[in-house]
Amino acid sequence: MESKAELSHLIFPYVRVYKDGTIERLAGTEIAPAGLDPETGVLSKDTIIIPETGVSARIYLPNSSKPHQTLPLVIYFHGGGFYLSSTADPKYHHSLNRMVAEAKIILVSVNYRLAPETPLPGAYEDSWGALEWVVSHARKHEPWLVDYADLGKVFLAGDSCGANMAHHFGLKLKDSELGRELKIEGIATINPYFWGKDPVGVEVTDHQRKSMVDDWWMFVCPSSSEKGCDDPLINPFIDGNSPSFEGLRCERVIVVVAEKDILRDRGRIYYEKLVKSGWSGTAQIVETKGEDHIFHIFDPNCENAKNLLKLLASFFNQA
């Protein structure tokens, strides 16, 4: 008990790590079961996709689905800084039920492993494995994907760190075997989590939140100690730090930022770098006024959250 009482790391108010190796999670552990959502009529189910690690996915099907009527397929990566939340988090489950109902899409929500139990790049490896699973199961094995998913309209989407992964996978597909089988029409990045050692924009004066996000990154990716917050996974904006944005393997991108979000200016930089890169697709950026980071997850009933879902529905269903 004495050794456990000695803290090794505290990510307030979410996680405590003790010197004896014990990890105490204080938030993000709530669970909402899959099944029929009475409010939206959306049906969901959980399935193990990587048995060796226990990585799973929650698949969502809208209530208007009819056999042989294919719908856009969205592969979704939840946020939480790589150390928090899950596909079963009630806030995410509720939000994705609404997204699926609004957009009339098939959605695969990936339950990757979290840091610090699985430090980065574990989440990237798990989520890439989920993309491989979708490709291998969409044609033969998973009935909902076989019967309803339009493999000509596949999207990557995510919020916060999930948006970060969606971007990296869009680049990785260019030179991969998977990229020859999985064609991505678009990527939706909601309040994307990119960062860097040198402050930009509001980070210059907001020392408290800058320090907080610095600490978060070093907590989930201790192997980046040499480059710190300029690790290519979190800071793809430095020339030569990561593959050129020109190689992004999709036709369309939407970048959603929030006015009060400490990550807002990095999202703007991401958009600007993308459109100036020589990438042949089309991109748009939308800023939600008066809101903070992933506000739509915390308050899905607010008017701005409803408007965001309508925006994403239009993005996924654009002809």
Side-chain angles (χ1 to χ4, degrees), residues 281-297:
T282 58
Q284 66 180 119
I285 185 169
V286 177
E287 181 171 324
T288 307
K289 299 297 184 182
E291 301 289 0
D292 208 331
H293 192 61
I294 61 167
F295 70 92
H296 64 295
I297 301 294

Side-chain angles (χ1 to χ4, degrees), residues 2-148:
E2 290 182 4
S3 63
K4 180 179 177 180
E6 295 184 62
L7 273 176
S8 169
H9 207 111
L10 171 64
I11 299 294
F12 183 82
Y14 304 112
V15 180
R16 293 192 189 111
V17 180
Y18 296 91
K19 289 185 177 179
D20 69 353
T22 302
I23 297 169
E24 186 178 11
R25 293 189 171 274
L26 309 174
T29 59
E30 301 88 351
I31 293 176
L36 177 64
D37 178 50
E39 183 178 345
T40 62
V42 171
L43 191 62
S44 60
K45 64 179 179 180
D46 294 327
T47 183
I48 296 293
I49 60 176
I50 307 178
E52 297 82 1
T53 58
V55 172
S56 65
R58 180 164 290 190
I59 310 175
Y60 292 81
L61 184 69
N63 65 353
S64 59
S65 304
K66 300 176 182 178
H68 312 299
Q69 178 191 19
T70 57
L71 302 171
L73 171 61
V74 176
I75 305 166
Y76 194 92
F77 310 102
H78 70 79
F82 297 106
Y83 68 89
L84 190 69
S85 200
S86 72
T87 56
D89 185 319
K91 293 183 176 62
Y92 273 101
H93 183 60
H94 183 56
S95 176
L96 293 180
N97 273 320
R98 291 190 166 211
M99 182 185 295
V100 169
E102 179 70 36
K104 302 297 188 293
I105 54 175
I106 305 295
L107 188 142
V108 176
S109 179
V110 180
N111 198 41
Y112 53 86
R113 290 172 295 170
L114 302 176
E117 295 91 337
T118 304
L120 293 183
Y124 292 90
E125 294 167 351
D126 290 348
S127 299
W128 182 259
L131 296 184
E132 294 176 324
W133 178 88
V134 167
V135 168
S136 66
H137 282 65
R139 293 183 176 89
K140 296 180 181 179
H141 305 295
E142 170 46 56
W144 286 6
L145 298 182
V146 172
D147 292 342
Y148 301 107

Side-chain angles (χ1 to χ4, degrees), residues 189-223:
T189 65
I190 307 165
N191 304 160
Y193 178 26
F194 298 112
W195 204 239
K197 181 177 67 175
D198 298 326
V200 300
V202 70
E203 300 165 22
V204 174
T205 55
D206 195 338
H207 304 292
Q208 181 178 0
R209 286 201 292 175
K210 175 67 170 74
S211 176
M212 177 183 68
V213 181
D214 287 347
D215 192 36
W216 286 355
W217 177 252
M218 297 309 299
F219 175 65
V220 300
C221 194
S223 64

Side-chain angles (χ1 to χ4, degrees), residues 128-307:
W128 182 259
L131 296 184
E132 294 176 324
W133 178 88
V134 167
V135 168
S136 66
H137 282 65
R139 293 183 176 89
K140 296 180 181 179
H141 305 295
E142 170 46 56
W144 286 6
L145 298 182
V146 172
D147 292 342
Y148 301 107
D150 183 349
L151 299 184
K153 288 185 70 67
V154 181
F155 296 83
L156 304 182
D159 62 272
S160 195
C161 68
N164 171 303
M165 289 196 286
H167 159 74
H168 282 290
F169 297 154
L171 292 177
K172 188 176 179 179
L173 284 168
K174 179 177 183 291
D175 298 316
S176 69
E177 181 66 30
L178 183 62
R180 286 182 274 277
E181 300 182 68
L182 181 63
K183 306 301 180 185
I184 302 299
E185 178 170 332
I187 298 177
T189 65
I190 307 165
N191 304 160
Y193 178 26
F194 298 112
W195 204 239
K197 181 177 67 175
D198 298 326
V200 300
V202 70
E203 300 165 22
V204 174
T205 55
D206 195 338
H207 304 292
Q208 181 178 0
R209 286 201 292 175
K210 175 67 170 74
S211 176
M212 177 183 68
V213 181
D214 287 347
D215 192 36
W216 286 355
W217 177 252
M218 297 309 299
F219 175 65
V220 300
C221 194
S223 64
S224 67
S225 56
E226 183 178 339
K227 290 190 174 182
C229 292
D230 282 340
D231 185 293
L233 289 175
I234 196 65
N235 187 358
F237 307 131
I238 299 175
D239 289 340
N241 213 22
S242 61
S244 169
F245 283 27
E246 184 179 1
L248 198 68
R249 287 294 296 272
C250 69
E251 300 173 12
R252 298 185 282 121
V253 170
I254 185 170
V255 183
V256 180
V257 298
E259 181 184 19
K260 296 181 178 181
D261 187 1
I262 188 67
L263 303 181
R264 178 197 65 190
D265 296 302
R266 302 281 176 176
R268 290 173 174 171
I269 292 171
Y270 175 68
Y271 168 78
E272 292 165 2
K273 184 173 177 66
L274 179 61
V275 297
K276 294 176 181 178
S277 68
W279 171 64
S280 60
T282 58
Q284 66 180 119
I285 185 169
V286 177
E287 181 171 324
T288 307
K289 299 297 184 182
E291 301 289 0
D292 208 331
H293 192 61
I294 61 167
F295 70 92
H296 64 295
I297 301 294
F298 294 114
D299 188 7
N301 297 313
C302 73
E303 199 61 31
N304 280 334
K306 294 176 183 177
N307 291 336

